[in-house]
DNA sequence: TTGTATGCGTTATCAG
DNA sequence: CTGATAACGCATACAA
C-alpha cells in the first residue's frame, strides 16, 4: 500500500466542512444541492491536498469494484492475446474500470486458483478467453459472477460468447481468389477437427461451388498448421500435373511452408501461384516476400464486444438478465502481394 | 459484484462462535490458541457455506491489497509482452497477489489516467515496462509507490530496473560465428541510437577483436529493423567482392530480409552464408527456412526478477529500503540451422 | 480459550 | 444546504 494517503477526512478538515459534504461535491450526487462557494472550497482543498479516493473503501461500500478479470489459457505464446487484452482494456477504461489478467497455461488447477483469487477480490465480472476458437466447458465457480466468453463458445445456457466468423472468412478467401480469376483452387486445412477448420472449409467450398467450380477444381487437403506442414502439403499439391493456381492456407504459419515449396519448385508468387493466408500475424504475413494477403482474426473486436456485453450484464444484474447474446465477428481481408491473376 | 456472498458473520453464526474466532482460525493467527474442536467446527462451517473472504475488506483493514499494476507502453503489437506479463504473474500468484495490466500506447495522457486508476485501487506496487530496451523518465506519480522498471532504465535514484545484457548478446552472437570458423563477419545494426544497438555492437566487436579479426574483416552497417531494411543492407553487403561469410542481424525480422537477399543471390544458408538473429521471435525464427539461430531476449526472466524485487521492496517498505538493485540479464542463444562453417 | 468493540475510508440515510 | 452516524466485511487490541 502506498504511504499514508490523504483521506476524505483530511479534505473535510482542510475545507472546514463535514466529510458528507466532501463526498457530495466530489461525487456530484444528483439530488444534493450544495452551495457553489463551499463546493469550490472543497474542490480546492481536494486538489491542494492531492486527494485520491480510496477505491477499496468505495468498492466495499458500493458493492462494486469496477474491476474485471480476464482469464486466458495462454497469454505468452500467441500474439493474439495482446490485442484481445487491449480491446478489453479499452472499453474497461472507458467505464473507469481496469482488468486483472491471468493466464492458466491450460492447467485446470491453476485456473481454479486464479479464478478464486479474482472472485475473492470481488471482480464485477469475468472474461473467459481462449487463444484459439473452440468450445469450452465453463468452470463451475463462474456461475456466480457475470461471465462472457471470448473466442470460445459453450453450452452453458445464458452466457454470452463471441467467436470469429469462420465461414465468412472462408468465403472471403475464396472471393479474393475467384475475383482474381482463379479456377483451380486448393485449400490446405488444419488436420484438427476444430470449428475454424469446419467453418473455413464450408465458406470456401460454398463460394467455389457458387462460382461454378467443378468438384475436382477444388482440392482440400489437411496438414499440421506449421511451416513444415504447409511445406509438405504444398509439395504434394504443386508437383501434381494439374496443380492449382491458387492456394488458401489455414493460417499464415502454414503459408510460410507453402512459400518455401513454391520457391523450391521454381514457382513465382504471385505470378505462378497465388496464396491467401489466415490470421494476419503481422511479423510473418508482412515479413515474408511477397507480402501475404490474408484474413485477419478479429481479436481486438472480440475483446471489445465481449467487454461491452460484460458491463451490460453487470449493470443489468439487478434486473433479470435476458437471454445471452452471441456473435460471430468477421475479420477484414488484408490485401498484400501474394494474389494475382493466373498466368 | 457477485451476488450476495457469505460473510464471516454468517460463518460465525453457523459455527456458533464469534467472528473473532472465525477470523483467528481462518487466518491461523500465530499467537492465538483456539480449541481444536471449535477450530474444526469453524472450518466445517466455512466450507459448508462456501465462504470466500472479501479481499476488499481485508485490504482496507490491513492496508495491503496484494495487488500490483503492470503498465506497459504497448501490449498488443509485440509478442514480448505476453512473456513479460507471464513472468510477473507467476511470481505474483506465488505470493497470493494478482496483477492489473494496462497498456498506454505511448500516450502520456492515457498513461497518467491508468496510473491514477491503479493508485486509486491501492496497488501495492507498480511494474513499469517498456517493450524495447530504452531509458525512460518515470511518471512523477510513481514516486509515492514502490516501482520497478522492466526493459528500461532510468535516472531516478532508488528505483530498481532490469534490462537485457546487450553486450553479452553481442558477444554470444560473435562466439557462435567465430566458433564455426568464420573470419569475415558483418553486423547489420539498428539505425536508431538505442542501448540495444550500442551494446550489441560493443559485444560483437569486442569478441571479434579478441579473436584477432582485422578491422576490415568486420563490417558494421545499419538498417531499418524490418525485412526491407535487412534486405537492402544484405544486398549491399553480399554483392561486394569480398562478401562476409556470416552476418549477425540486429533482430529476427531484419534477418528475414537477409534470407531473401541471400536466396536471390543464389547463396545457400548456411552453406554459403551463416546468419545469427536476435529476439527469437518464435514464429519467424522457427518458421523461416532454415531455422534461424538467434539470441533470445529474457522477457520472462525480466518479469520474474522485477516482480520479486517489487515484492521485496513492498515488504521492506516499513523499514528503510536500501539502494536500488539493477540487473542485466543474459538471454540464451537458440541454436537452429542457420550457422555452419564457411565453405 | 473466546468475545466485544473499534476502525480501515467511503457512501448513504436521515436529521437539522 | 449541511452534518452526524450507520453500514460495507474484516482484523485486532483488549477484556472476560
Amino acid at each position: 500500500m502506498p504511504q499514508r494517503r490523504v483521506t476524505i477526512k483530511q479534505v473535510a478538515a482542510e475545507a472546514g466542512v463535514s466529510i458528507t459534504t466532501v463526498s457530495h461535491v466530489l461525487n456530484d450526487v444528483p439530488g444534493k444541492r450544495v452551495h457553489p462557494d463551499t463546493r469550490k472550497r472543497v474542490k480546492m482543498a481536494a486538489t491542494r491536498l492531492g486527494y485520491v479516493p480510496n477505491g477499496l473503501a468505495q468498492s466495499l461500500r458500493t458493492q462494486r469494484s469496477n474491476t474485471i478479470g480476464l482469464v486466458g489459457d495462454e497469454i505468452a505464446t500467441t500474439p493474439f492475446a495482446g490485442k484481445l487484452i487491449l480491446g478489453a482494456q479499452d472499453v474497461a477504461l472507458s467505464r473507469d474500470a481496469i482488468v486483472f489478467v491471468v493466464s492458466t497455461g491450460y492447467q485446470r488447477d491453476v485456473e481454479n486458483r486464479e479464478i478464486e483469487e479474482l472472485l475473492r477480490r470481488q471482480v464485477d465480472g469475468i472474461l473467459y478467453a481462449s487463444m484459439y476458437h473452440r468450445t469450452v466447458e465453463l468452470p463451475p465457480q463462474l456461475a456466480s459472477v457475470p461471465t462472457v466468453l471470448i473466442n470460445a463458445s459453450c453450452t452453458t445456457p445464458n452466457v454470452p460468447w463471441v467467436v470469429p466468423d469462420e465461414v465468412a472468412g472462408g468465403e472471403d478467401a475464396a472471393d479474393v481468389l475467384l475475383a482474381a480469376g482463379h479456377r483451380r483452387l486448393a485449400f490446405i486445412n488444419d488436420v484438427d477437427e476444430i470449428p475454424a477448420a469446419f467453418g473455413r472449409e464450408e465458406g470456401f467450398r460454398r463460394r467455389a461451388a457458387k462460382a461454378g467450380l467443378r468438384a475436382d477444381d477444388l482440392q482440400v487437403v489437411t496438414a499440421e498448421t506449421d511451416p513444415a506442414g504447409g511445406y509438405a502439403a504444398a509439395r504434394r499439391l504443386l508437383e501434381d500435373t494439374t496443380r492449382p493456381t491458387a492456394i488458401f492456407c489455414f493460417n499464415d504459419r502454414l503459408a510460410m511452408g507453402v512459400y518455401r515449396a513454391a520457391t523450391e519448385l521454381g514457382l513465382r508468387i504471385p505470378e505462378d501461384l497465388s496464396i491467401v493466408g489466415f490470421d494476419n500475424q503481422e511479423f510473418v504475413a508482412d515479413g515474408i516476400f511477397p507480402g501475404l494477403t490474408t484474413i485477419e482474426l478479429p481479436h481486438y473486436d472480440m475483446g471489445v464486444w465481449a467487454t461491452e456485453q460484460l458491463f451490460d450484464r453487470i449493470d443489468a444484474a439487478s434486473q433479470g438478465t435476458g437471454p445471452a447474446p452471441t456473435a460471430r465477428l468477421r475479420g477484414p481481408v488484408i490485401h498484400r502481394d501474394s494474389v494475382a491473376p493466373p498466368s
Side-chain angles (χ1 to χ4, degrees), chain A residues 14-284:
Chain A
E14 177 83 6
V17 298
S18 77
I19 64 169
T20 306
T21 303
V22 175
S23 178
H24 283 346
V25 351
L26 260 32
N27 293 352
D28 268 329
V29 259
K32 303 294 181 182
R33 292 214 53 74
V34 26
H35 194 88
D37 287 358
T38 45
R39 179 178 296 272
K40 182 164 293 180
R41 272 219 319 290
V42 169
K43 284 196 168 161
M44 301 221 41
T47 62
R48 186 155 3 114
L49 265 40
Y51 171 70
V52 174
N54 182 322
L56 263 31
Q58 291 181 310
S59 298
L60 184 58
R61 183 59 237 245
T62 61
Q63 301 291 61
R64 168 125 183 196
S65 65
N66 284 311
T67 270
I68 63 177
L70 168 49
V71 1
D73 42 29
E74 55 180 335
I75 239 167
T77 53
T78 104
F80 302 137
K83 305 209 176 138
L84 214 151
I85 295 175
L86 196 62
Q89 188 205 269
D90 282 354
V91 359
L93 218 59
S94 78
R95 329 265 291 223
D96 293 313
I98 53 185
V99 10
F100 283 118
V101 174
V102 298
S103 179
T104 69
Y106 293 104
Q107 296 163 284
R108 242 0 189 188
D109 54 333
V110 347
E111 174 174 286
N112 287 334
R113 169 96 194 291
E114 288 167 343
I115 292 180
E116 183 105 347
E117 210 69 46
L118 290 171
L119 258 24
R120 172 196 179 80
R121 278 171 182 79
Q122 316 295 115
V123 293
D124 293 331
I126 287 186
L127 262 13
Y128 190 82
S130 169
M131 287 315 138
Y132 69 97
H133 180 175
R134 58 181 171 139
T135 93
V136 299
E137 197 156 349
L138 217 53
Q141 337 163 38
L142 291 186
S144 68
V145 62
T147 300
V148 2
L149 268 50
I150 306 181
N151 210 20
S153 58
C154 76
T155 55
T156 313
N158 238 306
V159 6
W161 49 258
V162 54
V163 297
D165 189 336
E166 309 287 2
V167 175
E171 291 179 349
D172 288 345
D175 286 349
V176 167
L177 264 13
L178 262 7
H182 292 275
R183 305 291 299 175
R184 253 191 353 265
L185 310 179
F187 174 33
I188 304 181
N189 201 357
D190 188 351
V191 276
D192 302 312
E193 307 192 336
I194 55 175
F198 296 140
R200 291 173 200 175
E201 179 169 345
E202 177 186 335
F204 197 73
R205 290 203 117 108
R206 179 183 303 171
R207 288 303 212 205
K210 192 168 185 178
L213 289 217
R214 292 174 332 186
D216 52 344
D217 283 338
L218 167 53
Q219 301 177 65
V220 176
V221 301
T222 61
E224 297 289 333
T225 61
D226 56 16
Y231 173 77
R235 286 293 303 216
R236 259 175 278 126
L237 244 25
L238 298 174
E239 281 169 348
D240 197 20
T241 47
T242 66
R243 63 170 184 82
T245 61
I247 297 181
F248 170 37
C249 301
F250 179 81
N251 71 10
D252 294 349
R253 292 190 67 210
L254 187 160
M256 292 182 83
V258 177
Y259 268 58
R260 175 155 85 92
T263 304
E264 287 187 3
L265 295 171
L267 264 23
R268 293 160 307 161
I269 301 170
E271 295 83 354
D272 305 320
L273 178 69
S274 287
I275 301 182
V276 170
F278 217 104
D279 284 1
N280 192 32
Q281 291 213 11
E282 326 230 11
F283 291 160
V284 346

